[in-house]
Amino acid sequence: MKKIFLNNSARTFFAGFAFFTLAASFATAKDWSELLKQAEANTGFQKTDFSANYKIVQKKPGSNSSSTEARLFRRDATKQWTILVDGPAREKGKGYLQTDGIVWFYDPADHRFTSTSAGDKFQNTNATTADFAPQPYYSSYNIEKTEEVKLGKLDCVLFTLAIKKGEKNLVYPRLKLWVTKSDGLPRMKEDYSATGEKMRTTVIGGYQVVEASTGTYSVPKTMTIQDEIKKAVIDGKTQWERTMVAIQNPSFVKVGDNIYTKPYLETNSSR
């Protein structure tokens, strides 16, 4: 076997090249954790109450669309929220309440509260009650991978996330999340099971900027949630079950404490 000897100049060149390559690899491995933290912060409103009107349209393959109208009240600082269903008439008066870490469903037909979970479907749609609350992207998930990508015309970071050890109350253990680099706003999300099966895709159709006394807030205009499991082939084309959510009249005015109570749902169910 022939041996190759390097002179001092060659050794210096290769040593410098190796150092440059190593430095370049570290330079490209950018830490995007602060952007993920910003994305989580953008889904919550800790300084004030938040309320809005929601119109939720459910479309199932081969079926007519169904529509639900509801009012949402959130107090993120204390992890409380209330949803009161306003329509259709047969559903009017039903409500949801989260307080003291428990989610309650109220049915005015029998005047009963039933404990439920954040992962339960909202009014038989593809949305869950967790979709209406702040999202713990940074505090409850570990970053497994990041990529700088384009989402249409938007410059984004694509986060691959896995649930942190010990977290038990999250609906989906794995996520892929697209966040715009310029403002830290979530733009699209894919939900995965523990085995890696894609369960849902959520697309946020732009944001509305609201000026309030406590700050400036960005609220989604629409959200489209596609169930990746529930689908059917109709006329040779695959159609997925989808839920379209429109958010209107967002407000950041503090409301009364009574709104986050069971008596509020009981009283308003008859109106």
Side-chain angles (χ1 to χ4, degrees):
M1 182 176 177
K2 186 177 179 180
K3 294 184 178 180
I4 298 176
F5 296 93
L6 301 177
N7 58 31
N8 289 336
S9 297
R11 282 195 291 269
T12 301
F13 170 78
F14 282 110
F17 178 78
F19 174 79
F20 174 80
T21 304
L22 183 63
S25 67
F26 279 113
T28 56
K30 187 169 181 178
D31 182 4
W32 291 105
S33 58
E34 287 300 316
L35 185 69
L36 186 64
K37 186 185 294 187
Q38 184 182 3
E40 176 176 318
N42 280 331
T43 70
F45 314 112
Q46 300 296 324
K47 296 180 180 179
T48 183
D49 288 356
F50 166 70
S51 60
N53 297 104
Y54 281 66
K55 184 173 183 179
I56 303 151
V57 178
Q58 178 71 10
K59 177 62 177 176
K60 296 183 179 181
S63 302
N64 294 328
S65 299
S66 61
S67 179
T68 300
E69 295 182 0
R71 283 175 284 164
L72 168 70
F73 301 91
R74 274 172 41 183
R75 182 168 290 172
D76 295 344
T78 55
K79 298 182 179 180
Q80 293 174 291
W81 51 256
T82 297
I83 302 174
L84 183 64
V85 177
D86 290 328
R90 67 181 182 277
E91 302 292 323
K92 185 177 175 62
K94 292 182 178 180
Y96 299 80
L97 170 69
Q98 176 173 285
T99 186
D100 298 325
I102 302 173
V103 179
W104 297 97
F105 168 69
Y106 178 70
D107 190 343
D110 54 13
H111 305 284
R112 287 177 55 184
F113 283 90
T114 305
S115 63
T116 179
S117 74
D120 287 347
K121 300 296 185 181
F122 175 76
Q123 294 296 105
N124 297 313
T125 69
N126 302 121
T128 69
T129 55
D131 292 320
F132 302 103
Q135 302 299 306
Y137 298 133
Y138 178 82
S139 56
S140 297
Y141 289 90
N142 289 317
I143 299 174
E144 287 193 335
K145 183 182 178 182
T146 59
E147 300 175 69
E148 295 182 61
V149 299
K150 281 277 191 180
L151 184 64
K153 296 181 179 180
L154 299 173
D155 293 315
C156 294
V157 173
L158 169 57
F159 293 91
T160 300
L161 306 174
I163 190 172
K164 289 183 178 179
K165 186 177 180 180
E167 291 284 352
K168 299 178 180 179
N169 297 321
L170 298 178
V171 183
Y172 297 102
R174 304 184 69 84
L175 306 176
K176 285 188 177 181
L177 179 68
W178 284 255
V179 179
T180 35
K181 294 193 286 186
S182 60
D183 51 22
L185 291 173
R187 300 291 178 168
M188 190 169 82
K189 178 170 68 79
E190 293 178 348
D191 302 314
Y192 290 83
S193 68
T195 59
E197 183 179 16
K198 184 159 68 170
M199 307 299 288
R200 299 192 315 169
T201 299
T202 301
V203 177
I204 297 175
Y207 283 84
Q208 48 196 316
V209 178
V210 181
E211 299 285 348
S213 60
T214 52
T216 302
Y217 303 98
S218 296
V219 179
K221 294 178 181 178
T222 63
M223 298 187 298
T224 300
I225 305 169
Q226 177 171 290
D227 192 313
E228 301 292 349
I229 306 300
K230 296 179 180 179
K231 54 189 175 182
V233 178
I234 299 177
D235 296 329
K237 296 183 179 180
T238 302
Q239 297 182 16
W240 284 264
E241 197 170 294
R242 290 176 178 168
T243 301
M244 286 72 73
V245 181
I247 304 170
Q248 302 169 327
N249 305 317
S251 171
F252 292 92
V253 176
K254 184 177 174 62
V255 299
D257 296 345
N258 66 304
I259 286 181
Y260 305 103
T261 64
K262 289 181 178 180
Y264 175 80
L265 287 179
E266 291 172 316
T267 301
N268 282 269
S269 65
S270 59
R271 293 183 181 179

